[in-house]
Amino acid sequence: MRIAGLAILGLIVALLVWGFSGINAIPTKEESAKASWAQVLNQYQRRADLVPNLVATVKGAADFEKSTLEAVVQARAKVGTMQLPADLLTNPEAMRAFEANQGALTSALSRLMVVAEQYPNLKATEGFQTLQAQLEGTENRIAVARKDYIDTVRIYNTELKTFPGVLWKSFLYADREAMQQLQVDPAKQEVPTVDFGTTGN
């Protein structure tokens, strides 16, 4: 009888230790997700900073398709003037608007690069090749940053819903909300291959 009592007591102590060991899990995972989000923003800003030089370089090509350039300039302006609310990470509508604006810039830049293929002289310039390489690298960094954010948010949101995190949320972190995930358009489930024609020519 005494052995059974000690076993139960030991189990209770083990559960308490395990439970208390997770007391800081929610804020720790929240900060990790926020840090991942900061990297997403950083890479998107890096891309936006490349656009003016890219547009200026392309403008030098005779008869370059003006509507394509205008679409890039407008999409970049929309991204640049976008106000990010403080609750962006927990606000579904704000996150959708953010993604729509970034997606519009992605589409405009893709179109610009397709049109640029029709201008061999433009493609051959060192400045354009450098910008192509920088943009390609930035798009890859954006993909990595987005993946990291998705992973850290999944871990954070899971912590809020599972034991013992759900208990700590009730007692200490009632103000914490699940964070919004970045969405992938079903038509874009496969990561596109970015090829600006800088190789094999």
Side-chain angles (χ1 to χ4, degrees), residues 2-104:
R2 185 174 174 180
I3 294 176
L6 288 174
I8 292 171
L9 180 61
L11 180 60
I12 291 171
V13 169
L15 286 172
L16 287 173
V17 170
W18 176 65
F20 275 100
S21 67
I23 194 170
N24 290 319
I26 289 176
T28 299
K29 290 171 183 178
E30 179 185 39
E31 289 305 311
S32 180
K34 286 179 178 178
S36 294
W37 177 247
Q39 274 303 308
V40 171
L41 292 179
N42 183 45
Q43 297 308 326
Y44 275 132
Q45 184 60 52
R46 177 187 175 96
R47 179 176 70 175
D49 290 344
L50 287 173
V51 171
N53 286 338
L54 182 61
V55 169
T57 301
V58 171
K59 272 185 179 178
D63 301 323
F64 193 87
E65 195 174 297
K66 288 183 180 179
S67 62
T68 302
L69 273 179
E70 287 171 1
V72 171
V73 171
Q74 289 172 5
R76 200 272 186 188
K78 200 164 184 182
V79 164
T81 58
M82 185 172 35
Q83 297 295 317
L84 300 182
D87 68 342
L88 174 63
L89 295 183
T90 57
N91 183 329
E93 289 180 14
M95 183 61 81
R96 278 194 294 271
F98 173 86
E99 291 229 78
N101 288 338
Q102 293 294 347

Side-chain angles (χ1 to χ4, degrees), residues 124-146:
T125 64
E126 184 178 344
F128 187 73
Q129 289 178 0
T130 299
L131 288 167
Q132 284 180 322
Q134 290 176 347
L135 185 58
E136 181 180 22
T138 299
E139 292 293 349
N140 290 336
R141 289 186 185 95
I142 287 171
V144 171
R146 285 174 61 94

Side-chain angles (χ1 to χ4, degrees), residues 97-181:
F98 173 86
E99 291 229 78
N101 288 338
Q102 293 294 347
L105 181 54
T106 299
S107 295
L109 286 168
S110 295
R111 172 69 182 149
L112 176 68
M113 291 305 166
V114 168
V115 173
E117 290 293 316
Q118 302 168 22
Y119 294 81
N121 291 341
L122 172 62
K123 287 172 55 182
T125 64
E126 184 178 344
F128 187 73
Q129 289 178 0
T130 299
L131 288 167
Q132 284 180 322
Q134 290 176 347
L135 185 58
E136 181 180 22
T138 299
E139 292 293 349
N140 290 336
R141 289 186 185 95
I142 287 171
V144 171
R146 285 174 61 94
K147 180 186 179 303
D148 290 346
Y149 172 75
I150 288 168
D151 289 343
T152 55
V153 166
R154 177 185 53 77
I155 292 168
Y156 170 71
N157 287 348
T158 300
E159 183 67 25
L160 294 180
K161 298 175 183 177
T162 56
F163 186 84
V166 68
L167 295 180
W168 291 122
K169 181 182 183 330
S170 298
F171 296 138
L172 298 176
Y173 308 113
D175 60 331
R176 300 309 203 277
E177 297 179 49
M179 291 185 183
Q180 293 300 306
Q181 275 291 11

